[in-house]
Amino acid sequence: MKKQEREKIVALDKRYVWHPYTAMQEYRDSDPLVIERAQGAQLFDFDGKVYLDGNSSWWVSTLGHAHPRLIAALKKQADELCHVSLAGVTHRNAAELGEALCKIAPPGLSHVFYTDDGSTAVEMALKASLQYWAQNGRPARKEFLALEGAFHGETLGVTALGGIAAFHDVFAASAVHCTRLTSPCVALAKSLEELEAHLRRRHERIAALVVEPLVQGAAGMRIYAAEFLRAARTLCERYDVFLICDEVFTGYGRTGKQWACDHENVSPDFLCTAKGFTGGVLPMAATLVSERVYEGFLGTKERAFHYGHSFCGNPLGAALAREVLRIFDEEAILEHAAPKVRRIAEFFESMQDVDGVLNPRALGMIGALDLEGSATGYLAHAGWEVYAEARRRGAYLRPLGNVVYVTPPLTISDTDLSRLLEILRESVEQVTARARRKA
Ligand SMILES: *Cc1c(COP(=O)(O)O)cnc(C)c1O
């Protein structure tokens, strides 16, 4: 029965569904995972197999799947109010969540603008920067600075910031003018020199610097020195240019602290959060702004921010996001993750000794390594061979090109974490040994 049901789903899917970041020609011949339910760090396929969710389902299920408190909060809210516009209307969750967010945010962030997902959280920050300067005496500030290898999402605006050629090149000719600096992951001193030079020469044209603090996720879990973040804050202040920190991936404990900014006590002008924001249950996001930014939109009617989404402040999402913050506090999520952070760091350090593995690295609940020997870049294949091996062994380890990584739920059990890392090691060893035999 189950087998037939599964086959039917796959047939319908292949007939009707276009998948994200997926080569559909190839997909038609593949046997996809068909997930029926999920619990904690485990995904259950219709065929009865269990897979450890090595990447928290694209980095969102920070508290694991089906957290009982989140399910309860969602059900309770659904009985009361599923949606209402936030234009001149409010509700309990939007208000209480706003307070809770500002309390845990880096100091100086005093207001919350609700958005739909990571892309729109950053898009909002870009548009608000442009409008801020336009109506506060600096109308020439229309350009952005970002980092090579950056990923800030999928709208045409934020795509213009992106520095991953495979994601960005076809869409590059959009309205947003962006200069990309050498990434601090590649060369810290050069990156800072370029930043300083651009700001010195062109600050009257630059609206904001946009960064993923501490780690460029989509570029391949590239980690950089926290020192860059501190220096970027200082330079942006000196030239009075906004600093936008995209914490869509790094927020909610992914790097071991609530925010990556907390590692250097940096307060940006805009902080964008999504992914773990609702515990990965619903798409909802927020952009936190400083008092100065907020005040730049006060005054007459025309000065209002011309922006908003149908689902801004959605009561279901807001109820979840509120409950997520309570869970982080009451269940001491970060404290309990600390030993797992150490376990991941030790494990990836030990991968140094495996033939064919380069540059093993870890930060918080992120561990990654590069596979040597095949073409680099997003479309390379060794990572997918590891994916296939891991799938056979019961783990979902979607690679980024030749980068194999884990970003498990912060709440993953010790047993599941050990098993996940063991599967990663076996799969990598299998693939690199096979490559050596071929060579
Ligand atoms: C995933 C991601 C985004 C985009 O978020 P979506 O919710 O997919 O729109 C933006 N920035 C960073 C750093 C991300 O990792």
Side-chain angles (χ1 to χ4, degrees):
M1 265 321 276
K2 270 272 147 115
K3 189 160 182 288
Q4 272 170 18
E5 224 177 316
R6 189 180 190 283
E7 276 169 17
K8 192 170 164 214
I9 293 169
V10 173
L12 286 174
D13 174 86
K14 288 188 177 178
R15 168 66 183 80
Y16 290 108
V17 182
W18 187 356
H19 289 259
Y21 283 104
T22 300
M24 294 308 295
Q25 179 84 40
E26 209 175 281
Y27 178 83
R28 288 195 288 195
D29 302 322
S30 74
D31 177 32
L33 295 176
V34 184
I35 301 306
E36 184 181 29
R37 63 192 180 85
Q39 183 70 52
Q42 301 183 343
L43 305 170
F44 298 82
D45 191 304
F46 255 80
D47 59 14
K49 262 182 102 168
V50 184
Y51 297 92
L52 291 168
D53 189 352
N55 65 36
S56 298
S57 290
W58 254 359
W59 318 348
V60 305
S61 294
T62 311
L63 294 176
H65 296 274
H67 192 296
R69 286 182 61 173
L70 294 182
I71 303 304
L74 184 60
K75 286 181 175 162
K76 179 166 175 286
Q77 186 58 43
D79 280 337
E80 276 170 26
L81 175 67
C82 287
H83 188 59
V84 68
S85 144
L86 205 66
V89 180
T90 195
H91 51 86
R92 179 202 297 273
N93 296 336
E96 288 186 359
L97 175 61
E99 180 193 35
L101 279 169
C102 289
K103 275 194 174 152
I104 56 143
L109 295 168
S110 62
H111 286 80
V112 180
F113 195 99
Y114 294 118
T115 42
D116 288 357
D117 51 30
S119 305
T120 53
V122 183
E123 183 86 7
M124 179 277 172
L126 301 189
K127 285 189 150 185
S129 313
L130 293 174
Q131 192 181 329
Y132 178 93
W133 295 122
Q135 66 194 25
N136 290 281
R138 295 270 180 67
R141 293 191 162 186
K142 290 179 190 260
E143 300 177 18
F144 294 93
L145 293 176
L147 302 177
E148 277 302 339
F151 178 75
H152 296 292
E154 305 294 4
T155 60
L156 211 46
V158 301
T159 301
L161 304 175
I164 302 175
F167 300 174
H168 161 268
D169 282 2
V170 253
F171 309 115
S174 76
V176 176
H177 189 296
C178 177
T179 305
R180 272 182 300 280
L181 311 167
T182 297
S183 166
C185 310
V186 176
L188 176 63
K190 184 156 184 270
S191 179
L192 281 172
E193 269 165 39
E194 287 179 17
L195 175 58
E196 144 86 304
H198 272 284
L199 288 175
R200 183 164 17 85
R201 278 189 280 116
R202 310 188 54 247
H203 59 274
E204 278 313 332
R205 311 264 297 274
I206 295 169
L209 165 70
V210 190
V211 300
E212 293 156 87
L214 300 197
V215 49
Q216 295 187 298
M221 299 299 155
R222 303 199 310 185
I223 297 164
Y224 64 82
E227 185 188 333
F228 175 85
L229 198 59
R230 161 65 34 212
R233 174 69 281 180
T234 307
L235 286 169
C236 286
E237 236 154 62
R238 184 181 306 156
Y239 293 102
D240 193 30
V241 162
F242 287 141
L243 174 64
I244 299 174
C245 281
D246 174 353
E247 294 247 18
V248 169
F249 169 56
T250 52
Y252 284 82
R254 183 51 65 194
T255 69
K257 296 190 185 266
Q258 172 67 32
W259 310 109
C261 283
D262 292 344
H263 288 267
E264 282 285 302
N265 297 321
V266 158
S267 286
D269 301 281
F270 294 82
L271 185 150
C272 312
T273 175
K275 292 199 164 121
F277 183 71
T278 61
V281 179
L282 283 180
M284 181 176 174
T287 308
L288 284 78
V289 304
S290 68
E291 192 63 21
R292 177 189 181 190
V293 170
Y294 176 76
E295 284 181 353
F297 293 83
L298 298 180
T300 53
K301 239 177 164 45
E302 318 79 71
R303 290 172 60 84
F305 187 36
H306 313 304
Y307 186 94
H309 298 277
S310 315
F311 284 97
C312 275
N314 174 256
L316 292 171
L320 287 165
R322 183 72 196 88
E323 191 66 7
V324 165
L325 290 177
R326 286 197 193 97
I327 293 170
F328 264 77
D329 180 31
E330 290 162 19
E331 297 185 7
I333 298 297
L334 297 179
E335 287 84 334
H336 287 131
K340 288 175 261 195
V341 165
R342 284 193 294 275
R343 174 91 184 81
I344 290 172
E346 282 159 18
F347 172 82
F348 278 88
E349 202 180 315
S350 78
M351 289 299 285
Q352 193 104 44
D353 306 328
V354 177
D355 254 0
V357 165
L358 294 175
N359 201 16
R361 53 199 178 275
L363 172 69
M365 290 296 284
I366 308 167
L369 55 82
D370 304 338
L371 297 171
E372 189 184 27
S374 38
T376 50
Y378 187 72
L379 303 173
H381 287 292
W384 287 104
E385 290 175 39
V386 172
Y387 168 87
E389 288 296 332
R391 180 172 169 181
R392 254 195 292 286
R393 291 170 168 81
Y396 173 57
L397 280 183
R398 190 185 160 88
L400 288 157
N402 277 341
V403 178
V404 175
Y405 72 93
V406 293
T407 49
L410 273 60
T411 50
I412 190 171
S413 70
D414 292 338
T415 321
D416 282 350
L417 180 60
S418 294
R419 180 82 193 117
L420 177 66
L421 297 176
E422 194 181 309
I423 290 176
L424 188 148
R425 177 191 291 277
E426 286 170 15
S427 305
V428 165
E429 283 175 351
Q430 180 81 24
V431 168
T432 52
R434 196 188 302 145
R436 275 198 304 282
R437 279 199 303 277
K438 275 194 209 149

